[in-house]
Amino acid sequence: IAPSPPSRSSQLLYRRSYAMRRVQVAASCLHVLLCLARMLRVCSGLNVLVVGGSGRVGGSTLRWLQEYSSRDPNLDLKCNVGCRSQSSFDAAVRRGVIPKSGVDFVPVDLDGGDDKLIEAIDGCGLVVHTAGPFQGRKDPALLRCCIAKGIPYVDVCDEYDLAVTSKQMMEDAKAAGVAAVVSSGIWPGVSALMAAEAKAKLERNSGEQCDTLDFSFFTAGTGNAGPTIVSATFLLLATPALTFLGGKPFEKEPWTERREVDFGPGVGTKPVWLLDNPDVPTTATALGVSNASSRFGTDPLFWNYLFGAMKAIPKSLLYNRDAMQAFALFSEPIIRVVDSIVGATNAMRVDAKTADNKHVVTSRIVHPDLEDCVGLATAAFALEVLKGDTVQPGIWYPAELPQDARTNILLAAKEKTISYIV
């Protein structure tokens, strides 16, 4: 007896089931392709734009990105330099700040409007913004454009108001699937991670809450970081030092309240003065600490008194970015001579304390060269963002990063240290 043909309803059911299976297979294939695309983005021929890469901080960051890429066979980064002019790029090549080959010039004008910036970053898989000084800037235009293009972003912003403005784009970044870290680098940056670790260790060992975070920094000369760090310090002398007292922000006169701080072997005890640092408000708020302040000092000792004397200059002039950068460039020959005498050591110390000061945890990291270690640290933050498995979409301060990300970056920052106690 011949089998009866399937009914029309059975045929429709079969077709629907077959169509659903095709949709499921297609979805699975799409998921696999997206995963592969993400792996390829990280591992194969990724374009990285280092804005400010013709400067010493940016050039160091670029070199470390290339170094990390050379160590990992699964990481293939094509690093390019974003700066205003070809002449700046060529000068950086001549000085050895950036390699003579394998790096291309990309014209970038941070004040040229969003359309020009979007054009500059088109095709990038990561943007690292090192073009300081950040003092006086109000608009995080480059970050905004990266969010619009879906590009991960890292900067070394040491201007708290600008960092706060950046954080206001948090929901935009999440919606776009963009991970960004602002105020990264060595300090601010790694120093905030030191604070997070010190606080956790203090509370674990004492059973009491961390009440105070004291940040202390020392750099011999400019740390080989050049005129930009000098002009940034001049600008900071016109900026009230933001501290936290009793859980509330409190502005103090910069370059006051001198302390003698022991930075450990290789550096010893150095005088430091109050100076504004975004680590203070970002860690105080992110970690829930009531009191925080930051101090800085340099060698030779005379430079510290010169900085104190600079406060007599009218703030309108002292806070003029162009004027201070021009003065720093004019002083560069003297700066270079001094740097050759005093070295380039960078030392960081963070003290986490209970309210009664009976329990204290101290972290110290000392590198032989600021220029080198700030590039190392910035590159470590950048690669952590790029990996995508520890830093979720959004805009984050370093102290807000999850434990895995903090551990990875601190481990990277340990390289070439003279002293490392975290």
Side-chain angles (χ1 to χ4, degrees), residues 27 48 53 66 81 86 115 120 137 169 185 240 293 295 302 306 319 321 325 345 386 388 407:
V48 179
Q66 290 183 323
V81 167
Q86 181 74 52
D115 290 343
R137 288 200 172 276
M169 292 186 280
S293 62
R295 287 169 172 79
F302 170 77
L306 176 62
Y319 208 67
R321 295 177 75 255
Q325 183 72 1
T345 301
L386 187 60
T407 299

Side-chain angles (χ1 to χ4, degrees), residues 21 29 69 77 96 108 111 131 142 155 209 217 219 229 252 254 269 282 292 294 335 349 353 375 383 422:
R21 286 199 299 271
C29 291
S69 183
L77 304 181
V108 174
D111 302 312
L142 187 58
D155 70 33
Q209 279 195 326
F217 305 98
T219 300
I229 191 174
K252 291 189 175 184
T269 300
T282 60
S294 180
I335 292 169
R349 172 172 168 160
K353 306 174 183 178
L383 291 184
V422 176

Side-chain angles (χ1 to χ4, degrees), residues 48 50-69 71 77 79-81 92-93 95-99 103 128-131 156 185-186 222-226 344 367-383 415-416:
V48 179
V50 181
V51 177
S54 59
R56 291 190 171 273
V57 171
S60 177
T61 300
L62 184 144
R63 296 193 302 273
W64 271 104
L65 286 169
Q66 290 183 323
E67 173 65 20
Y68 286 136
S69 183
R71 295 178 184 179
L77 304 181
C79 299
N80 295 319
V81 167
V93 172
R95 298 196 311 270
V97 172
I98 53 179
V103 178
V128 184
H129 183 6
T130 66
V156 294
I186 197 71
T222 69
N224 277 336
H367 287 91
D369 188 292
L370 172 63
E371 177 189 1
D372 188 56
C373 71
V374 70
L376 180 158
T378 306
F381 274 99
L383 291 184
E415 187 163 350
K416 293 187 177 182

Side-chain angles (χ1 to χ4, degrees), residues 237-238 253-256 306-315 318:
L237 292 172
E253 181 72 17
W255 218 257
T256 57
L306 176 62
F307 287 149
M310 290 284 289
K311 291 197 302 176
I313 297 174
K315 288 190 176 181
L318 200 57

Side-chain angles (χ1 to χ4, degrees), residues 314-337:
K315 288 190 176 181
S316 58
L317 178 58
L318 200 57
Y319 208 67
N320 184 311
R321 295 177 75 255
D322 293 336
M324 290 302 100
Q325 183 72 1
F327 179 74
L329 288 170
F330 175 78
S331 308
E332 187 170 12
I334 300 173
I335 292 169
R336 289 295 167 213
V337 170

